């Protein structure tokens, strides 16, 4: 048995840690590349969600490298995400790829994973008692690593707009993340995290800058995955903006665990409430939150909002229409970027440059 | 009864299934119902957001009505089935229209969510009635009458769509002509609302199949608005009829027949429309018709995903001997492209018939 999982930002570090700690063989799909895009696009159709295509591409690449078991967090209505697996399974089958599919129930409790899902029955036979006993430790390790990754990424978002040598923060961040990834024990993990923090902070910075403040909102895969969004977060940072986002892997896990008391979840509730001035119902996915966050960020003195959505995304299409009005009503510039599989990196760079420049003018004029 | 005012109903989305019900309800309460004009020849589409064509049409039609109606009727359609839901975009549709019309017109947007008792069709209409000043008794009476006539109306559906021009499908005042296509002899039948003299104008031959016996039975599958809104599909149905096709739609299938096709999937399709589409495609492709046409909206999230699913599943199951044509529609698709493809499709069906004979 060799398990694999899709890419989503630094999520592979989390998955890998679980598998590794519990001694389950795994294959990390190759880093999402042009080839991944091409594979995903070739085997789906134009108006299917971009995240669907990328995940499919990841799976195809991993299966071809010898993985045989796909692990994917399940989802449900109202949007398409809940039916990705239905369609991806038949596509893989049609391609003649052999796989087994393990859905982690959206309400993630580790007991639930071992419940009587037909899928797990087969797997359990292949797992040793050791694997199963170690699994909770694996989860703990994975969780700790994920929190470490997020802490480092958040730090980098602060440092980036102040860096003197463009690109230095990103290099340091990469190094720091690899230390987290490589840690084999909680002790080495903590050390890695601390060293990583110091490393990122050591980036040469200009303390006199007052960076623009920009919030990134939108569909979660496009917000969280730098390959899908073509590095919007990094690009904005390097253009001199301090970026915030509320979609993190942990946010969504906590949400599925219904740990609503966690800070980030209650922030989501605030956004949701704010959206009610424009939307009378929960449209689904991140739609209402995109709108609510844009409103609240403008009240919090942010300079602008970047709204990310995949081409033909249903809830975010609704959001984008409403955001145009929100931008006017609350006097906050909002840039909607529609992401697809075309070679759009250059265009995105240009759009972001123009946007940042406009925000700088606006700030000076105020 | 004195007319209380005007209710504007945009000719878009689920208008293409429920209009007769909606219309009778409001008329029973003493309101006049007006509908928007189609896009027409030079019709301009109003872009509020870059959505699928059916949603853009909703905005366009609402704009057309906003100055002529006292209220727009735009229920928030969350679910029209006791267990399945509508596309997420329907949930925000009234809000989109409210923003697009800049709040200049009152919008009746009570939620309909058949999964919840308090949002049943009846409850939702009672609330709507209340907003119009009708008490519960009046509302109930109006709704029950509307429901009764609507059920009746749905019965002759297949004959209706095969014998009336597309624009008359949903005009409940026009009775369904009796099969076989009548010569100018008087048309009989119809509901209680037959006072309207307009049924005399019915000319089934106008864009129907010219009284000849149709040569092919063809199932047309898709969201109701893709099937029946001529602004979406350039009236592909009347062209199909002129090519000698008898049109069958999923409206005629029972829920059981649809479930039989989709209940064993590894994951339940939770959109009612999506279920109906996938179920009826598999149903029709397994026999009983000469061909199947799937009308999809480009940029429709549901169609895109399920279309891939249907294609692949057919393939891994060894395919179907019944020809399937998928037509993707958007504001740029021209009538010519559609007719050419439909003609070619007719030829395929003809060829198949000949070789099977
Ligand atoms: S939110 Fe957008 S990208 Fe995600 S499943 Fe829905 S349509 Fe697809
Ligand atoms: S189901 Fe498809 S066509 Fe209908 S509103 Fe939703 S996205 Fe648009």
């Amino acid at each position: 048995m060799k398990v694999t999982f899709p890419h989503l930002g630094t999520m592979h570090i989390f998955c890998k840690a679980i598998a590794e700690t519990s001694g389950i063989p795994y294959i990390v799909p190759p880093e999402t590349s042009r080839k991944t895009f091409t594979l995903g696009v070739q085997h789906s159709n134009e108006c299917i969600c971009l995240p669907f295509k990328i995940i499919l591409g990841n799976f195809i690449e991993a299966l071809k490298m010898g993985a045989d078991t796909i692990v994917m967090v399940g989802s449900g209505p109202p949007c398409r995400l809940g039916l990705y697996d239905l369609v991806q399974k038949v596509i893989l089958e049609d391609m003649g790829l052999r796989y087994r599919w393990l859905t982690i129930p959206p309400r993630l409790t580790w007991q639930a994973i071992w419940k009587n899902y037909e899928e797990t029955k087969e797997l359990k036979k292949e797992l040793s008692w050791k694997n199963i006993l170690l699994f909770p430790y694996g989860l703990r390790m994975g969780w700790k690593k994920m929190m470490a990754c997020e802490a480092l990424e958040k730090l980098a978002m602060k440092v980036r707009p102040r860096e003197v040598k463009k690109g230095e923060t990103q290099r340091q961040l990469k190094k720091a993340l690899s230390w987290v990834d490589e840690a084999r024990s909680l002790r080495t993990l903590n050390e890695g995290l601390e060293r990583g923090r110091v490393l990122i902070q050591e980036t040469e910075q200009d303390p006199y800058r007052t960076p623009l403040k920009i919030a990134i909102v939108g569909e979660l895969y496009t917000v969280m995955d730098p390959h899908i969004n073509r590095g919007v977060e990094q690009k904005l940072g390097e253009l001199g903006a301090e970026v915030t986002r509320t979609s993190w892997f942990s946010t969504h896990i906590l949400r599925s665990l219904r740990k609503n008391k966690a800070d980030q979840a209650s922030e989501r509730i605030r956004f949701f409430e704010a959206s009610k001035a424009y939307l009378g119902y929960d449209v689904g996915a991140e739609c209402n939150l995109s709108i609510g966050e844009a409103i609240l960020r403008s009240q919090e003195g942010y300079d602008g909002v970047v709204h990310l959505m995949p081409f033909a995304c249903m809830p975010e299409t609704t959001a984008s229409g409403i955001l145009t009005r929100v931008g006017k009503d609350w006097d906050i510039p909002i840039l909607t970027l529609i992401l697809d599989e075309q070679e759009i990196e250059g265009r995105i760079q240009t759009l972001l440059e123009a946007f940042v420049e406009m925000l700088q003018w606006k700030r000076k004029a105020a | 009864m004195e007319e209380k005012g005007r209710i504007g109903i945009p000719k878009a989305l689920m208008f293409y299934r429920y209009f007769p019900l909606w219309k009778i309800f409001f008329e029973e309460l003493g309101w006049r119902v007006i509908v928007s004009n189609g896009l027409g020849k030079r019709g301009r589409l109003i872009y509020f957001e870059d959505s699928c064509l059916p949603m853009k049409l909703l905005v366009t039609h609402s704009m057309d009505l906003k100055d002529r109606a006292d209220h727009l009727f735009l229920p928030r359609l969350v679910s029209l089935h006791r267990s399945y839901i509508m596309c997420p975009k329907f949930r925000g549709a009234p809000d989109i229209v409210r923003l697009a019309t800049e709040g200049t017109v009152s919008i009746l947007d009570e939620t309909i969510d058949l999964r919840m008792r308090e949002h049943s069709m009846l409850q939702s209409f009672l609330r709507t009635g209340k907003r119009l000043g009708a008490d519960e008794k009046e509302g109930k009476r109006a709704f029950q009458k509307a429901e009764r006539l609507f059920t009746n109306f749905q019965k002759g559906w297949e004959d209706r769509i095969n014998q009336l021009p597309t624009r008359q499908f949903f005009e409940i005042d026009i009775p369904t002509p009796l099969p076989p296509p009548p010569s100018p002899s008087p048309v009989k039948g119809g509901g209680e609302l037959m006072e309207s003299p307009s049924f005399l104008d019915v000319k089934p031959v106008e864009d129907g199949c010219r009284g000849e016996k149709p040569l092919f039975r063809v199932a047309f599958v898709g969201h109701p608005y893709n099937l029946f809104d001529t602004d979406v599909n350039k009236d592909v149905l009347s062209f199909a009829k002129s090519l000698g096709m008898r049109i069958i739609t999923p409206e005629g299938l029972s829920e059981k027949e649809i479930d039989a096709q989709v209940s064993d999937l590894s994951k339940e399709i939770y959109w009612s429309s999506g279920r109906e589409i996938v179920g009826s495609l598999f149903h029709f492709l397994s026999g009983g018709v000469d061909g199947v046409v799937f009308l999809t909206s480009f940029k429709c999230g549901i169609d895109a995903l399920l279309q891939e699913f249907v294609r692949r599943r057919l393939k891994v199951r060894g395919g179907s001997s019944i020809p399937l044509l998928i037509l993707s529609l958007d504001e740029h698709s021209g009538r010519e492209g559609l007719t050419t493809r439909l003609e070619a499709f007719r030829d395929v069906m003809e060829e198949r018939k000949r070789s099977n004979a």
Side-chain angles (χ1 to χ4, degrees):
Chain A
M1 175 176 65
K2 274 208 166 79
V3 300
T4 191
F5 28 79
H7 276 295
L8 173 56
T10 47
M11 186 182 81
H12 61 280
I13 297 181
F14 164 78
C15 299
K16 200 174 134 181
I18 299 177
E20 216 163 55
T21 314
S22 5
I24 301 169
Y26 64 90
I27 286 184
V28 181
E31 193 178 338
T32 302
S33 65
R34 205 56 231 162
K35 188 171 160 232
T36 320
F37 273 77
T38 314
L39 281 171
V41 170
Q42 243 172 31
H43 297 286
S44 54
N45 69 57
E46 194 175 355
C47 292
I48 287 188
C49 326
L50 185 61
F52 178 101
K53 297 174 190 165
I54 305 299
I55 296 172
L56 180 65
N58 289 151
F59 288 159
I60 297 174
E61 288 186 289
L63 292 178
K64 288 195 169 154
M65 281 168 66
D68 56 16
T69 304
I70 288 170
V71 183
M72 174 87 172
V73 180
S75 183
C79 207
R80 290 190 270 182
L81 190 56
L83 290 175
Y84 278 10
D85 53 351
L86 174 76
V87 185
Q88 282 170 342
K89 281 180 191 173
V90 66
I91 293 177
L92 295 175
E93 193 183 337
D94 182 34
M95 292 178 68
L97 291 169
R98 295 173 56 84
Y99 64 89
R100 285 175 308 185
W101 195 289
L102 175 62
T103 309
I104 301 182
R107 294 220 41 197
L108 185 69
T109 54
W110 73 269
Q111 293 98 327
I113 302 170
W114 306 105
K115 269 203 196 134
N116 296 334
Y117 278 90
E118 228 174 285
E119 298 152 324
T120 46
K121 253 192 271 162
E122 277 302 304
L123 289 173
K124 270 195 245 168
K125 278 187 222 147
E126 289 172 51
L127 293 173
S128 65
W129 276 109
K130 206 174 135 218
N131 295 147
I132 293 173
L133 283 175
L134 284 172
F135 195 76
Y137 295 98
L139 266 186
R140 195 156 79 120
M141 189 69 175
W143 181 259
K144 289 245 144 107
K145 282 197 175 185
M146 179 173 67
M147 296 314 278
C149 290
E150 289 181 3
L152 293 171
E153 286 175 275
K154 283 179 189 165
L155 180 60
M157 286 157 92
K158 284 219 163 352
V159 172
R160 228 181 248 125
R162 297 177 174 86
E163 70 187 7
V164 175
K165 275 190 251 101
K166 192 176 149 196
E168 193 183 346
T169 319
Q170 188 64 17
R171 275 195 302 280
Q172 313 282 60
L173 172 66
K174 268 204 154 153
K175 218 182 279 170
L177 288 175
S178 73
W179 292 337
V180 169
D181 188 16
E182 283 154 19
R184 287 289 171 276
S185 65
L186 288 178
R187 195 179 49 81
T188 48
L189 169 58
N190 283 334
E191 279 169 18
L193 173 61
E194 279 324 305
R195 272 171 60 213
R197 273 212 177 102
V198 173
L199 184 74
I200 294 172
Q201 247 141 10
E202 275 171 356
T203 309
E204 194 185 336
Q205 295 175 55
D206 175 353
Y208 299 106
R209 279 188 211 162
T210 44
L212 292 168
K213 286 179 81 173
I214 296 180
I216 297 184
V217 303
E219 187 279 326
L220 62 100
Y221 275 82
T222 17
V223 169
M224 285 162 64
D225 193 279
H227 294 289
I228 297 186
N229 68 33
R230 314 323 202 259
V232 163
E233 194 174 292
Q234 184 192 341
K235 286 194 167 83
L236 281 173
E238 287 171 3
L239 287 170
E242 193 177 315
V243 180
T244 330
R245 64 168 148 113
T246 19
S247 253
W248 294 89
F249 192 47
S250 63
T251 329
H252 298 290
I253 297 270
L254 288 175
R255 187 156 62 97
S256 72
L257 290 171
R258 322 255 150 141
K259 291 239 160 83
N260 282 344
K261 273 181 226 96
D263 283 359
Q264 287 177 338
S266 74
E267 202 165 29
R268 291 174 68 86
I269 294 168
R270 270 200 320 128
F271 296 153
F272 188 84
E273 288 299 315
S275 76
K276 285 187 176 162
Y278 290 84
L279 257 181
Y281 204 90
D282 182 2
V283 169
E286 304 295 294
C287 175
N288 297 56
L289 300 159
S290 298
I291 291 162
E293 180 162 359
I295 297 169
L296 291 185
R297 292 306 184 207
S298 88
Q299 294 171 351
E300 288 164 10
Y302 274 67
D303 297 278
V305 171
V306 172
H307 173 228
L308 300 180
M309 62 178 268
F311 176 69
C313 171
M314 303 195 285
E316 296 303 329
T317 300
T318 296
S320 75
I322 295 175
L323 280 172
T324 320
R325 186 58 52 86
V326 168
K328 276 188 212 135
D329 290 354
W330 295 91
D331 188 31
I332 183 161
I334 300 176
L335 173 70
T336 291
L337 289 179
I338 299 177
L339 296 145
D340 62 17
E341 58 263 19
Q342 323 261 317
E343 304 257 8
I344 45 172
E345 190 152 357
R347 211 175 75 223
I348 287 183
Q349 180 72 32
T350 320
L351 284 171
L352 292 178
E353 278 168 19
F355 187 63
V356 164
E357 201 171 313
M358 189 260 284
L359 296 183
Q360 263 148 0
W361 278 106
K362 194 164 178 272
R363 194 185 250 197
K364 259 184 230 147
Chain B
M1 204 193 305
E2 195 196 329
E3 187 183 298
K4 292 188 178 139
R6 289 193 278 192
I7 305 287
I9 302 189
K11 243 170 129 178
L13 300 176
M14 293 319 273
F15 170 99
Y16 290 99
R17 185 161 283 170
Y18 292 104
F19 176 62
L21 180 102
W22 296 347
K23 177 179 149 104
I24 297 166
F25 175 77
F26 290 114
E27 286 181 350
E28 280 303 305
L29 291 182
W31 291 75
R32 181 151 144 232
V33 169
I34 56 171
V35 296
S36 47
N37 298 309
L39 273 188
K41 282 244 154 22
R42 281 176 303 131
R44 256 184 54 244
L45 203 56
I46 298 170
Y47 283 64
F48 183 76
E49 35 157 22
D50 198 11
S51 201
C52 50
L53 177 57
M55 263 303 157
K56 285 181 193 156
L57 283 167
L58 176 76
V59 173
T60 309
H61 283 256
S62 304
M63 297 300 271
D64 171 40
L65 284 170
K66 74 174 170 43
D67 301 324
R68 297 192 275 135
D70 299 302
H71 304 276
L72 286 189
F73 180 59
L74 274 170
R76 200 184 291 279
L77 304 176
V78 178
S79 151
L80 290 169
H81 186 282
R82 66 184 177 283
S83 5
Y84 309 118
I85 55 171
M86 299 293 285
C87 154
K89 282 185 195 168
F90 278 88
R91 302 176 173 204
D95 303 301
I96 293 280
V97 171
R98 189 169 289 117
L99 290 178
T101 54
E102 318 231 351
T104 54
V105 59
S106 134
I107 294 179
L108 303 169
D109 62 349
E110 295 302 324
T111 298
I112 297 181
D113 183 346
L114 301 194
R115 297 168 306 167
M116 296 199 246
R117 195 177 298 242
E118 68 270 28
H119 291 300
S120 70
M121 208 60 106
L122 172 67
Q123 291 305 328
S124 160
F125 274 88
L126 288 182
R127 270 194 286 269
T128 303
K130 210 164 169 192
R131 280 173 66 176
L132 297 174
D135 63 28
E136 185 156 334
K137 210 171 118 225
E138 292 167 313
K140 212 170 205 161
R141 198 188 42 82
F143 179 75
Q144 278 161 354
K145 176 161 184 196
E147 207 178 25
R148 196 174 66 245
L149 292 182
F150 181 57
T151 317
N152 234 344
F153 167 83
Q154 286 175 306
K155 276 182 192 145
W157 190 246
E158 196 184 309
D159 286 324
R160 196 170 175 88
I161 58 175
N162 279 288
Q163 295 177 50
L164 290 179
T166 316
R167 66 185 151 76
Q168 294 179 348
F169 287 179
F170 291 91
E171 290 188 27
I172 191 166
D173 300 346
I174 300 176
T176 304
L178 291 175
S183 37
S185 65
V187 183
K188 282 204 217 91
E192 295 166 39
L193 289 162
M194 250 187 47
E195 319 90 53
S196 157
S198 54
F199 72 92
L200 291 175
D201 307 334
V202 180
K203 290 192 222 74
V205 291
E206 180 187 297
D207 53 1
C209 47
R210 299 179 207 293
E212 295 149 27
K213 202 166 178 319
L215 304 165
F216 310 100
R217 281 171 58 82
V218 182
F220 279 75
V221 176
H223 298 286
Y225 35 92
N226 287 349
L227 298 183
F228 304 123
D229 187 344
T230 52
D231 284 331
V232 175
N233 64 27
K234 314 285 180 281
D235 204 1
V236 73
L237 292 190
S238 65
F239 187 69
K241 286 187 265 180
S242 75
L243 290 176
M245 301 184 193
R246 173 144 182 110
I247 291 160
I248 322 281
T249 61
E251 269 88 356
L253 295 185
S254 69
E255 200 171 327
K256 237 171 140 187
E257 283 169 301
I258 290 183
D259 275 345
Q261 302 291 333
V262 290
S263 54
D264 66 328
L265 302 181
S266 70
K267 193 95 171 248
E268 179 140 83
I269 299 175
Y270 41 70
W271 303 297
S272 52
S273 60
R275 238 182 130 75
E276 183 181 298
I277 288 170
V278 173
S280 50
L281 282 173
F282 288 144
H283 174 90
F284 289 127
L285 286 168
S286 65
V289 293
D290 298 305
V292 179
V293 180
F294 179 16
L295 296 175
T296 71
S297 281
F298 183 69
K299 282 192 114 177
C300 166
I302 293 180
D303 285 349
L305 192 69
L306 296 182
Q307 173 186 340
E308 195 63 32
F309 175 68
V310 168
R311 271 200 182 135
R312 299 279 182 163
R313 188 164 146 112
L314 279 174
K315 229 170 119 208
V316 300
R317 304 237 155 161
S320 157
S321 63
I322 296 171
L324 167 68
L325 173 66
I326 301 182
L327 291 176
S328 166
L329 309 158
D330 70 4
E331 52 271 47
H332 310 296
S333 45
R335 189 169 156 92
E336 257 146 76
L338 294 179
T339 51
T340 318
R341 296 194 56 198
L342 208 59
E343 272 167 339
F345 187 64
R346 195 244 346 242
D347 296 343
V348 172
M349 290 192 293
E350 207 155 46
E351 185 58 37
R352 182 170 164 268
K353 263 199 160 168
R354 215 178 298 132
S355 62
N356 282 357

